[in-house]
Every structure is written in structure tokens, then in C-alpha cells.
């Protein structure tokens, strides 16, 4: 047995990563002083007096997220301009010097309370780059300033599910480039918010590599440790206010976890992907983009290829100057939520019988676990049995055009290639296929009517696992063969 492949099959997510996988789809909200300057990147010279969202309503943001089926929201507590949406005691460039709420407002507090009340999770983005702070560029001094701000938001706003970092970095007033003390930031987060994942420039969740809403056909969660390189992440991140960056699709590392690649790796880690993209061309609100909200078909493609491609989806809303998510944005994601709810309302495998060509001997891992509705039960084979066939009898002919598969990732990511087949006109016909499954793989294809369906796992590492297999139908879902 190949020791590298055996090791790869045994790499597992932490508990915080497992909980993050379950989030699947959540919101980003870019809201700050830029909202009032019509810019994407501020320079830190803005007057806090212009920040005045007179109709700000955190409950409305949460309602929009829930209408889309999102499970959380990450707020830009501070962007590159340094303006803070909470009354920080470490800077005057914040809401306490704005007319909003007579200088007594706190966007973070209202948002964290609204998220808890609405039953979704809350996270924060705190830009390491601060174009306002005078000590930026004096690395030791600024790192202490930044740690102090981290402590403020990690201790004052309840439980956070995510602390989101990007790699944006520039020169300070002294002409020197700031050197971030990432490890000290991580320690503070682990000490104060131990259940929060640290994303992108962090050890828990990696960036998919673009802001256009695309991920790779094979998005591995088990990857070489070299991918957790903050310097490389920063180099690949946006370095200037450039609208073209948001639509650029570029993968220098198309292969993240094949057998050939991991054999060359120094070590392997569980480092799953997140797709981040905006519902508009920009990340902040611009009235000129009110008619440029992504189409429903575009959002569906992004959803199925990210959430359905072993990644999470972080979709940005840019709240407007009123402090509300604009009507065009909220209407579009409600459409998205409605079509997803209709699609997954009825699972045609719930009453199916299942037979497996191979099953682990002496364990509680029977094939029936795949359709019992319990994510904590699963099917697997004996170690060394890397291929298998699973036959499902739906008890009656059913029409379906969407399939969902989920591995039991608590024990690792195993499946490398599989295909879906249906018994039509007395023969087995392939209807879809793909490479990795991971936490979730969703397949779309032309509508098929059949009573018998087969999942043929062609390649896997040591032994495949499946915890879920579902079949669904919605005539509004367009087919897309993946593989």
C-alpha cells in the first residue's frame, strides 16, 4: 500500500473545519466609508462625518441572507482605509466620530445581535492593511495596534464563526512595507474564539484563487502544506483598486491534490476551498451598478460549482448609503433561495433500497446508511478496496436531473473519480460523472426517468466512503455535465 496515499486518506478536518463545511453558503457585506465616497478602496483621509446610513437595519440584512438560504454573514469591520464600524478606543477614524446614531452607534454590535436573533452565524473581516493608521509600516508598533483591535472585536461581539483575512499589504507613511505578525494574530483568535475558522491568509480555509466565482473541477481539501503560504496568497491577491481583478479567472495551481502532486509535497494538510465573489461588479455599493446585479442563471452556476464542487460560497452584498441591502440584490437572491428550496424539497432516494458490491466487514457501515438521512452514518469498504458499485432501487420510476453525493469527511477525503448511471431500456447508461466528492458534490444533467440508479466509484484512496446520495428534480435547473 502506497504510504503517501495512505497518509493522504487519513488527513482529517478539525472540529472547527467540520462545522465550517456545514455552513456551505454565507454572505459577505462590504460596508464602510467607501459606501459614501463611491470608491472601492479608500485612502484613509476620508472624514468620518460622511458615514451616515440613516436607515441602517441589521435585521433587513439578516432577512435577505435567510431568504437566500445563507447560514452566516461576514462583515467588513475595517477595510483598507482604516475606518472602523465599531467605536474603537485605538483610533478616531471610526463610527464614534460620525453623525450616525449621534456618534454612539456600533454596526458590529447591531449586526452580531441581529444574526443571533435571526439564527445565522456572524463573522468579521479586519483588513490588515490600514491606510489611515500613522504607525502602519512600523511593523512592531502596528502589529501591536492591530492585535489590540483584534482583541476588541473578538471579545465584544459574541461567538464568531470566522475571522477573514486577505493579503493586502502596502507601504506605510515611513515608506516601509508592513510585515504582518500572522502567528500572533492567530494565537489571539485561538485564545479568544477557539471555534472560529481563520480564512484565506490563515490555517483553516484557503482562497479558491479568483474573485469571479469559479473553482477547479477537482477541488481537493487535502493539499500540500505549501499551499498555506501567506506570502504567495498575498502575491496572488488584489494589490490595487482594479475592477478587472474581480472577473479574472486564473489558476496557476490547477492541480491541488492529485496523487502525482501529493507525492512531491513536504507534508499534507486539510485546507478546504472557499469561493468568494460579489453579486455586483464591485464589492462596495455604487448606484451606477444597480442594474448590474448578477443574473439568476449566473448565481446558480456559481452555487452549483462551488457548494456543489467541494467548496463553500461567500457571496458579497454591498449595502447602500441608506444602510440597506438594495432591492435589486435582495430580490435576486430571494429568487436564488426559492429555486434551491424547490430543487431540494423532495429526495427520491429516501425510501430506496441499496446494495453495495463491497462493504466493510465487521463494522456498522452498511450501504443503507447512505439513504438514512443521518450525516453521521456512512458506508465504506475494507481498506485496499478502492473501487465499488452501489445500486439504488427507487421502488418506482422517478424523474430527476440533480444528484448530490457527500463523503464522510470526518475520516478523510477519499473518492477520486466516479460516475452516475441509470438503468434505461434494459441497459445501464452513464448520465453524469466527476472526480472528487469531498463534503459535497452536486451534479446537473438532462432529466432522466428511471427506477434503478448506480453510483460506480472508479478510483479512491484506500477505501471510499459515502454518507449521502440524493436525487432531485427541478425543471428550472439547467444541465451541466461535470467531470
Amino acid at each position: 500500500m502506497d504510504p503517501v496515499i495512505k497518509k493522504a486518506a487519513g488527513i482529517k478536518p478539525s472540529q472547527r473545519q467540520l462545522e465550517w463545511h456545514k455552513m456551505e453558503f454565507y454572505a459577505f457585506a462590504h460596508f464602510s466609508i467607501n459606501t459614501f465616497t463611491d470608491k472601492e478602496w479608500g485612502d484613509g483621509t476620508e472624514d468620518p462625518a460622511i458615514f451616515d446610513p440613516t436607515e441602517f437595519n441589521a435585521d433587513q440584512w439578516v432577512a435577505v441572507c435567510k431568504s437566500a438560504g445563507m447560514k452566516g454573514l461576514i462583515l467588513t469591520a475595517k477595510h483598507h482605509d482604516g475606518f472602523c464600524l465599531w467605536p474603537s478606543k485605538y483610533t478616531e477614524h471610526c463610527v464614534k466620530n460620525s453623525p450616525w446614531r449621534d456618534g454612539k452607534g456600533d454596526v458590529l454590535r447591531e449586526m452580531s445581535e441581529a444574526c443571533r436573533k435571526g439564527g445565522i452565524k456572524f463573522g468579521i473581516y479586519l483588513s490588515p492593511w490600514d491606510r489611515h493608521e500613522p504607525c502602519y509600516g512600523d511593523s512592531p508598533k502596528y502589529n501591536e495596534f492591530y492585535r489590540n483591535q483584534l482583541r476588541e472585536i473578538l471579545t465584544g461581539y459574541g461567538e464568531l464563526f470566522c475571522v477573514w483575512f486577505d493579503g493586502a499589504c502596502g507601504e506605510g507613511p515611513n515608506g516601509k512595507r508592513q510585515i504582518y505578525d500572522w502567528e500572533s494574530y492567530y494565537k489571539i483568535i485561538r485564545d479568544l474564539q477557539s471555534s472560529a475558522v481563520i480564512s484565506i491568509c490563515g490555517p483553516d480555509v484557503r482562497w479558491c484563487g479568483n474573485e469571479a466565482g469559479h473553482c477547479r473541477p477537482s477541488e481537493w481539501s487535502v493539499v500540500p502544506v505549501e499551499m498555506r503560504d501567506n506570502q504567495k496568497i498575498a502575491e496572488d491577491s488584489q494589490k490595487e483598486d482594479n475592477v478587472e481583478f474581480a472577473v479574472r479567472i486564473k489558476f496557476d495551481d490547477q492541480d491541488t491534490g492529485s496523487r502525482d502532486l501529493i507525492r512531491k509535497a513536504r507534508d499534507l494538510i486539510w485546507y478546504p476551498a472557499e469561493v468568494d465573489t460579489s453579486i455586483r461588479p464591485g464589492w462596495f455599493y455604487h448606484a451606477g451598478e444597480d442594474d448590474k446585479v448578477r443574473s439568476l442563471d449566473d448565481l446558480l452556476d456559481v452555487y452549483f460549482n462551488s457548494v456543489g464542487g467541494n467548496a463553500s460560497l461567500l457571496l458579497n452584498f454591498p449595502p447602500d448609503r441608506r444602510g440597506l441591502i438594495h432591492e435589486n440584490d435582495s430580490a435576486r437572491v430571494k429568487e436564488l433561495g426559492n429555486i434551491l428550496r424547490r430543487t431540494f424539497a423532495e429526495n427520491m432516494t429516501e425510501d430506496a433500497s441499496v446494495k453495495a458490491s463491497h462493504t466493510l466487514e465487521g463494522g456498522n457501515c452498511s450501504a443503507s446508511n447512505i439513504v438514512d438521512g443521518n450525516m453521521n452514518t456512512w458506508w465504506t469498504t475494507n481498506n485496499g478496496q478502492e473501487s465499488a458499485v452501489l445500486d439504488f432501487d427507487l421502488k418506482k420510476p422517478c424523474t430527476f436531473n440533480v444528484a448530490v453525493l457527500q463523503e464522510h469527511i470526518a475520516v478523510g477525503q477519499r473518492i477520486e473519480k466516479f460516475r452516475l448511471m441509470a438503468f434505461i431500456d434494459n441497459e445501464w447508461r452513464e448520465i453524469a460523472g466527476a472526480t472528487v466528492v469531498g463534503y459535497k458534490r452536486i451534479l446537473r444533467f438532462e432529466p432522466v426517468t428511471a427506477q434503478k440508479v448506480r453510483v460506480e466509484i472508479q478510483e479512491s484512496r484506500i477505501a471510499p466512503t459515502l454518507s449521502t446520495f440524493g436525487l432531485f428534480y427541478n425543471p428550472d435547473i439547467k444541465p451541466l455535465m461535470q467531470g
Side-chain angles (χ1 to χ4, degrees):
M1 188 176 291
D2 188 324
V4 174
I5 304 307
K6 182 178 180 181
K7 178 178 181 178
I11 302 291
K12 305 172 186 177
S14 66
Q15 187 59 43
R16 70 175 67 89
Q17 287 172 316
L18 269 175
E19 294 305 312
W20 168 85
H21 276 286
K22 297 174 187 176
M23 296 287 291
E24 297 188 4
F25 182 29
Y26 40 97
F28 220 165
H30 274 64
F31 182 62
S32 186
I33 202 86
N34 295 344
T35 308
F36 297 86
T37 61
D38 204 30
K39 293 181 179 179
E40 284 287 292
W41 285 18
D43 60 14
T45 63
E46 300 83 6
D47 185 348
I50 66 174
F51 183 81
D52 192 17
T54 54
E55 299 177 50
F56 175 75
N57 186 334
D59 292 329
Q60 187 252 1
W61 296 20
V62 172
V64 171
C65 292
K66 293 178 71 173
S67 76
M70 294 172 165
K71 297 177 182 176
L73 180 145
I74 298 173
L75 176 66
T76 54
K78 181 183 79 166
H79 203 254
H80 309 329
D81 49 78
F83 183 79
C84 299
L85 293 182
W86 79 100
S88 176
K89 65 181 180 181
Y90 297 102
T91 183
E92 296 302 305
H93 199 50
C94 64
V95 290
K96 68 186 177 186
N97 289 312
S98 78
W100 179 66
R101 304 277 197 261
D102 296 323
K104 297 179 174 61
D106 187 337
V107 179
L108 265 66
R109 180 149 329 276
E110 294 193 36
M111 282 311 313
S112 63
E113 292 175 354
C115 286
R116 277 193 294 276
K117 182 172 66 175
I120 68 173
K121 295 184 179 182
F122 183 57
I124 60 98
Y125 161 92
L126 188 71
S127 172
W129 192 8
D130 190 322
R131 304 175 83 178
H132 174 83
E133 177 52 39
C135 71
Y136 187 88
D138 181 336
S139 293
K141 189 174 291 187
Y142 178 75
N143 282 325
E144 185 56 31
F145 168 85
Y146 189 80
R147 286 189 290 264
N148 285 332
Q149 289 200 319
L150 261 181
R151 291 187 188 97
E152 281 187 316
I153 60 180
L154 295 177
T155 57
Y157 300 96
E159 184 177 352
L160 303 174
F161 85 91
C162 175
V163 179
W164 204 97
F165 292 127
D166 60 21
C169 183
E171 292 181 355
N174 61 2
K176 294 182 179 179
R177 185 168 291 272
Q178 175 68 31
I179 299 172
Y180 302 133
D181 187 356
W182 292 111
E183 293 302 321
S184 72
Y185 306 164
Y186 301 160
K187 184 178 187 308
I188 290 171
I189 297 166
R190 293 292 193 240
D191 289 346
L192 299 177
Q193 293 279 349
S194 60
S195 62
V197 293
I198 308 172
S199 298
I200 314 308
C201 273
D204 297 318
V205 177
R206 65 180 168 86
W207 183 40
C208 72
N210 67 83
E211 295 179 354
H214 293 259
C215 63
R216 301 165 183 84
S218 302
E219 201 67 80
W220 280 95
S221 296
V222 178
V223 300
V225 70
E226 290 85 354
M227 290 196 73
R228 197 169 65 193
D229 180 342
N230 285 343
Q231 183 174 346
K232 182 181 185 304
I233 295 167
E235 288 172 354
D236 291 342
S237 299
Q238 189 170 0
K239 300 178 179 63
E240 59 184 353
D241 185 1
N242 177 5
V243 71
E244 295 301 318
F245 186 88
V247 297
R248 188 178 305 151
I249 304 169
K250 175 176 172 287
F251 290 124
D252 289 334
D253 46 4
Q254 182 73 27
D255 180 4
T256 62
S258 71
R259 291 188 178 214
D260 288 343
L261 184 73
I262 63 176
R263 286 192 180 102
K264 304 170 188 174
R266 175 166 49 88
D267 201 358
L268 300 174
I269 55 173
W270 191 276
Y271 199 29
E274 176 184 82
V275 172
D276 65 314
T277 194
S278 186
I279 197 169
R280 293 170 174 235
W283 289 83
F284 284 94
Y285 178 78
H286 310 288
E289 295 180 353
D290 284 349
D291 62 348
K292 296 179 181 178
V293 175
R294 283 181 185 259
S295 70
L296 178 59
D297 284 345
D298 188 16
L299 288 177
L300 282 168
D301 280 343
V302 170
Y303 179 90
F304 282 116
N305 290 325
S306 55
V307 176
N310 193 39
S312 69
L313 174 55
L314 176 59
L315 180 63
N316 178 68
F317 298 117
D320 61 26
R321 295 182 182 184
R322 298 171 298 175
L324 301 173
I325 295 175
H326 193 274
E327 292 82 353
N328 294 357
D329 307 57
S330 60
R332 183 54 41 79
V333 295
K334 185 176 182 179
E335 287 182 296
L336 175 65
N338 286 340
I339 198 169
L340 293 174
R341 281 184 285 273
R342 290 197 304 272
T343 300
F344 300 110
E346 181 183 0
N347 183 355
M348 296 168 197
T349 68
E350 284 184 352
D351 298 319
S353 61
V354 193
K355 292 183 179 179
S357 62
H358 301 83
T359 298
L360 177 67
E361 298 172 4
N364 186 25
C365 294
S366 71
S368 62
N369 290 343
I370 300 172
V371 293
D372 67 0
N374 184 352
M375 281 291 296
N376 295 317
T377 63
W378 71 98
W379 158 87
T380 189
T381 67
N382 293 329
N383 282 353
Q385 182 60 51
E386 298 185 349
S387 62
V389 173
L390 294 153
D391 284 328
F392 299 80
D393 188 335
L394 307 180
K395 306 293 177 66
K396 62 181 180 181
C398 297
T399 300
F400 47 89
N401 63 346
V402 175
V404 176
L405 298 90
Q406 293 186 267
E407 289 185 60
H408 185 63
I409 61 168
V411 299
Q413 185 182 2
R414 311 286 185 79
I415 295 174
E416 296 174 306
K417 184 180 180 182
F418 72 97
R419 61 178 179 168
L420 180 63
M421 307 181 78
F423 196 68
I424 303 169
D425 295 333
N426 293 316
E427 65 177 359
W428 287 105
R429 298 182 183 178
E430 181 173 347
I431 57 176
T435 54
V436 302
V437 174
Y439 175 75
K440 180 173 282 189
R441 170 68 79 169
I442 304 176
L443 300 172
R444 294 177 284 165
F445 40 86
E446 294 287 353
V448 171
T449 300
Q451 180 174 326
K452 296 181 179 180
V453 179
R454 172 175 289 176
V455 174
E456 182 180 334
I457 299 172
Q458 298 161 294
E459 299 172 18
S460 65
R461 295 175 178 178
I462 308 303
T465 73
L466 273 184
S467 63
T468 298
F469 172 66
L471 294 170
F472 307 88
Y473 179 65
N474 186 337
D476 296 325
I477 297 298
K478 296 180 179 179
L480 179 67
M481 291 294 289
Q482 302 184 30

